[in-house]
Amino acid sequence: MKSAERLRRHPWFGYVFGAVAFSLALSARFGLEGTLPPGYPFLTFFPAVILTTFVGGVRAGIVCAVVGGLASWYWFIPPFDSFAVDGAAALALIFYAFIVGIDILLIHLMNESAARLEHERGLTAGLNKQLRTMFQELQHRVANNMMFVAGLLALQKRKVGGDPEAARTALEDAQNRVMVMSRIHRRLYDPSAVNIPAGRYFQELCADLLDATGAKNVVCLVDAPAISFDVTRLVTLSLIVTEVVTNSLKHAFAEGQKGSIAITLERLDQETCALNIQDDGRGLPADFDPGNSKSLGFKIMQSLAEQVQGKISYATVAGTRVRLVFAA
């Protein structure tokens, strides 16, 4: 079925196939002349029409049916070697037109159903892949958050000492951080966010990330035109931004160091956009190779980039720059 569908995409293949099928059917019918009893003028043309429609498409099938009908009318329906019409000839031609019309319609419906089924299979496979990636990302995010909370509590524990008031302040601080983290998750998967321009959405997301990590000395700058995306694409881009910004906050700056993270979104042409995330931190390690990295975070970002038909790249340019070029 797939092979036939690929062949039907070639504009002239169906007509060439139909011409060959008609020639073989005509030769076979002449070869059977005298062997068949009267009343079978179209016998060999039915298979030719069916095969041509299946392999070459509806238009080629109709052409083959018309040419086969004319050939049968001229050579095999009395009076022979003419296009004269009497009652018997008219009835035979109507019968032929009805049969080949039904054949062509049924094959067309079958091909359409097969094409829809193949399309739905492709959609299902894509959704399954997306769900697997989202589940991996969710696990990764939850694990990171649990580690963050554990580290936060350990840090606050060292600051508490034996002071009950300090203990209460530490717990309130930890509670606020966890609440910010939950707000980030709600924002990431909020369908109503599709109505918010991407630049504003990324700015709010980065503000939540800075609050959650307590990065007081780092600022996040967003420069984006008034572009909105569908919810699926926006969620995917948000997950990439969250992963990259989180990595920058964790690894790019020394403790207490001032820094900035710049997010720019630009439209390269009508079909392509680019998302750049640049920090001014220490940059990538000299031996960094994303292709050989075993980090789950990098694998997730690569999979997320594929979901938006994009390509992600990493570079050290006055810090770390992550660039995603994707279909708009």
Side-chain angles (χ1 to χ4, degrees), residues 30-65:
F30 273 119
L32 293 173
E33 186 69 19
T35 303
L36 292 175
Y40 295 93
F42 311 108
L43 182 64
T44 59
F45 294 102
F46 287 125
V49 173
I50 292 171
L51 287 174
T52 300
T53 305
F54 180 76
V55 176
V58 171
R59 293 181 180 179
I62 292 174
V63 171
C64 183

XYZ file of all heavy atoms in Angstrom, residues 30-65:
264
model
N -8.040 -9.345 -27.892
C -7.921 -9.826 -29.273
C -7.488 -11.288 -29.293
O -7.937 -12.079 -30.129
C -6.911 -8.975 -30.053
C -7.512 -7.747 -30.682
C -7.072 -6.479 -30.322
C -8.510 -7.855 -31.641
C -7.625 -5.347 -30.894
C -9.068 -6.713 -32.228
C -8.622 -5.455 -31.855
N -6.611 -11.654 -28.361
C -6.156 -13.039 -28.313
C -7.260 -14.014 -27.942
O -7.233 -15.182 -28.343
N -8.244 -13.535 -27.171
C -9.352 -14.395 -26.757
C -10.521 -14.357 -27.743
O -11.526 -15.056 -27.532
C -9.853 -13.964 -25.370
C -8.871 -14.188 -24.213
C -9.414 -13.558 -22.942
C -8.627 -15.683 -24.004
N -10.400 -13.540 -28.792
C -11.474 -13.458 -29.778
C -11.679 -14.827 -30.429
O -10.741 -15.466 -30.896
C -11.126 -12.417 -30.854
C -12.234 -12.143 -31.847
C -13.408 -11.422 -31.196
O -13.235 -10.829 -30.108
O -14.498 -11.452 -31.781
N -12.885 -15.271 -30.461
C -13.194 -16.598 -30.998
C -13.207 -17.660 -29.928
O -13.829 -18.714 -30.104
N -12.503 -17.420 -28.810
C -12.497 -18.378 -27.701
C -13.639 -18.096 -26.738
O -14.291 -19.024 -26.235
C -11.160 -18.318 -26.953
O -10.104 -18.577 -27.867
C -11.103 -19.340 -25.836
N -13.869 -16.800 -26.469
C -14.941 -16.425 -25.562
C -16.296 -16.509 -26.251
O -16.402 -16.224 -27.457
C -14.736 -14.982 -25.073
C -13.536 -14.711 -24.162
C -13.425 -13.220 -23.891
C -13.671 -15.467 -22.850
N -17.323 -16.880 -25.533
C -18.674 -16.817 -26.106
C -19.088 -15.361 -26.268
O -18.488 -14.464 -25.673
C -19.544 -17.531 -25.065
C -18.793 -17.396 -23.790
C -17.341 -17.423 -24.167
N -20.087 -15.037 -27.095
C -20.527 -13.654 -27.286
C -20.984 -13.050 -25.963
O -21.517 -13.727 -25.097
C -21.703 -13.791 -28.267
C -21.494 -15.102 -28.932
C -20.846 -15.992 -27.930
N -20.779 -11.735 -25.838
C -21.281 -11.034 -24.663
C -20.236 -10.691 -23.627
O -20.586 -10.314 -22.517
N -18.933 -10.797 -23.955
C -17.862 -10.452 -23.005
C -16.897 -9.435 -23.619
O -15.692 -9.651 -23.680
C -17.075 -11.705 -22.606
C -17.901 -12.700 -21.828
C -18.557 -13.733 -22.485
C -18.027 -12.600 -20.447
C -19.325 -14.655 -21.782
C -18.787 -13.508 -19.741
C -19.431 -14.527 -20.410
O -20.185 -15.427 -19.702
N -17.413 -8.292 -24.101
C -16.512 -7.339 -24.758
C -15.547 -6.650 -23.793
O -14.484 -6.189 -24.209
C -17.476 -6.327 -25.382
C -18.704 -6.398 -24.542
C -18.812 -7.829 -24.108
N -15.903 -6.573 -22.491
C -15.098 -5.791 -21.545
C -14.261 -6.654 -20.605
O -13.652 -6.121 -19.668
C -16.021 -4.911 -20.684
C -17.035 -4.121 -21.464
C -18.379 -4.473 -21.428
C -16.651 -3.042 -22.238
C -19.318 -3.749 -22.131
C -17.586 -2.309 -22.952
C -18.932 -2.672 -22.910
N -14.237 -7.958 -20.828
C -13.694 -8.882 -19.839
C -12.286 -8.515 -19.395
O -11.979 -8.479 -18.207
C -13.727 -10.314 -20.385
C -13.227 -11.397 -19.422
C -14.140 -11.474 -18.209
C -13.144 -12.741 -20.127
N -11.398 -8.251 -20.340
C -9.995 -8.010 -19.983
C -9.734 -6.566 -19.541
O -8.659 -6.266 -19.020
C -9.081 -8.335 -21.168
O -9.461 -7.518 -22.290
C -9.201 -9.805 -21.548
N -10.718 -5.682 -19.764
C -10.499 -4.280 -19.427
C -10.817 -3.975 -17.957
O -10.289 -3.006 -17.402
C -11.338 -3.377 -20.341
C -10.902 -3.438 -21.774
C -11.621 -4.177 -22.698
C -9.750 -2.784 -22.190
C -11.216 -4.244 -24.004
C -9.336 -2.844 -23.512
C -10.064 -3.581 -24.427
N -11.667 -4.775 -17.344
C -11.964 -4.555 -15.921
C -10.708 -4.644 -15.050
O -10.447 -3.750 -14.226
C -13.016 -5.540 -15.429
C -14.405 -5.262 -15.934
C -15.131 -6.223 -16.606
C -14.991 -4.017 -15.742
C -16.400 -5.966 -17.087
C -16.273 -3.754 -16.208
C -16.978 -4.726 -16.883
N -9.883 -5.695 -15.182
C -8.653 -5.747 -14.371
C -7.707 -4.583 -14.654
O -7.046 -4.078 -13.733
C -8.014 -7.085 -14.756
C -9.131 -7.896 -15.310
C -10.051 -6.930 -15.975
N -7.648 -4.152 -15.927
C -6.763 -3.029 -16.267
C -7.196 -1.761 -15.547
O -6.365 -1.012 -15.010
C -6.760 -2.820 -17.788
N -8.510 -1.509 -15.519
C -9.020 -0.317 -14.842
C -8.759 -0.403 -13.337
O -8.333 0.573 -12.697
C -10.520 -0.146 -15.116
C -11.099 0.983 -14.272
C -10.762 0.119 -16.591
N -9.001 -1.559 -12.746
C -8.808 -1.723 -11.299
C -7.346 -1.509 -10.917
O -7.025 -0.764 -9.974
C -9.290 -3.113 -10.856
C -10.818 -3.211 -11.000
C -8.875 -3.405 -9.420
C -11.365 -4.596 -10.784
N -6.430 -2.148 -11.647
C -5.001 -2.005 -11.338
C -4.518 -0.577 -11.552
O -3.740 -0.047 -10.750
C -4.187 -2.975 -12.203
C -4.276 -4.456 -11.822
C -3.539 -5.300 -12.849
C -3.694 -4.683 -10.432
N -4.978 0.047 -12.641
C -4.544 1.423 -12.917
C -5.025 2.371 -11.833
O -4.278 3.251 -11.373
C -5.080 1.874 -14.284
O -4.572 1.003 -15.298
C -4.646 3.300 -14.582
N -6.261 2.214 -11.385
C -6.783 3.079 -10.320
C -6.024 2.868 -9.020
O -5.685 3.823 -8.315
C -8.277 2.805 -10.087
O -8.980 2.945 -11.324
C -8.856 3.766 -9.069
N -5.730 1.622 -8.696
C -5.030 1.315 -7.447
C -3.606 1.864 -7.459
O -3.141 2.456 -6.489
C -5.013 -0.188 -7.216
C -4.304 -0.598 -5.956
C -4.892 -0.435 -4.721
C -3.025 -1.137 -6.017
C -4.229 -0.796 -3.563
C -2.352 -1.496 -4.866
C -2.961 -1.336 -3.632
N -2.919 1.667 -8.570
C -1.505 2.048 -8.641
C -1.331 3.499 -9.056
O -0.495 4.226 -8.511
C -0.745 1.124 -9.620
C 0.703 1.580 -9.779
C -0.782 -0.308 -9.118
N -2.130 3.953 -10.042
C -1.917 5.269 -10.626
C -2.843 6.361 -10.141
O -2.617 7.529 -10.432
N -3.926 6.003 -9.465
C -4.845 7.020 -8.981
C -6.135 7.087 -9.775
O -6.303 6.428 -10.804
N -7.057 7.929 -9.295
C -8.405 7.999 -9.862
C -8.377 8.514 -11.300
O -9.041 7.957 -12.187
C -9.293 8.898 -8.986
C -10.638 9.157 -9.666
C -9.524 8.247 -7.630
N -7.628 9.579 -11.566
C -7.642 10.163 -12.906
C -7.116 9.188 -13.951
O -7.710 9.042 -15.028
C -6.811 11.449 -12.920
C -7.418 12.561 -12.085
C -6.579 13.820 -12.153
N -7.161 14.887 -11.352
C -6.620 16.102 -11.209
N -5.471 16.384 -11.823
N -7.222 17.008 -10.455
N -6.010 8.515 -13.623
C -5.473 7.526 -14.561
C -6.457 6.382 -14.736
O -6.630 5.862 -15.844
C -4.127 7.003 -14.046
N -7.143 5.982 -13.664
C -8.145 4.919 -13.765
C -9.308 5.315 -14.649
O -9.810 4.509 -15.446
N -9.755 6.574 -14.533
C -10.865 7.044 -15.379
C -10.450 7.062 -16.844
O -11.212 6.636 -17.731
C -11.319 8.440 -14.917
C -11.979 8.345 -13.541
C -12.281 9.064 -15.925
C -12.335 9.691 -12.934
N -9.243 7.548 -17.123
C -8.760 7.569 -18.514
C -8.689 6.153 -19.076
O -9.120 5.886 -20.213
C -7.383 8.266 -18.592
C -6.780 8.098 -19.980
C -7.512 9.740 -18.238
N -8.149 5.217 -18.284
C -8.063 3.827 -18.735
C -9.456 3.244 -18.973
O -9.687 2.516 -19.953
C -7.307 2.999 -17.699
S -7.039 1.274 -18.166
N -10.414 3.580 -18.104
C -11.773 3.080 -18.258
C -12.421 3.619 -19.528
O -13.092 2.884 -20.276
C -12.609 3.453 -17.040
